[in-house]
Amino acid sequence: MNDQVIATYWLETAFSLEQAAEVIASEQSTGTFMARRTKRTA
């Protein structure tokens, strides 16, 4: 059995590609059990 997942993302962001990739990687690796700190803008 292969436990790998390969995904392709279409990404539109105001951040650099490197910053956006770090956020995506972090969110994908932490699962749904960790709280995330988010910056709210009003």
Side-chain angles (χ1 to χ4, degrees):
M1 176 183 246
N2 187 351
D3 291 336
Q4 292 182 337
V5 174
I6 298 173
T8 302
Y9 293 86
W10 178 265
L11 185 63
E12 295 182 29
T13 179
F15 299 103
S16 72
L17 182 58
E18 291 79 11
Q19 288 174 311
E22 286 180 16
V23 171
I24 291 171
S26 173
E27 289 178 354
Q28 295 299 314
S29 65
T30 56
T32 59
F33 301 105
M34 293 189 68
R36 296 184 320 178
R37 285 192 278 173
T38 58
K39 180 180 178 183
R40 292 187 178 193
T41 57

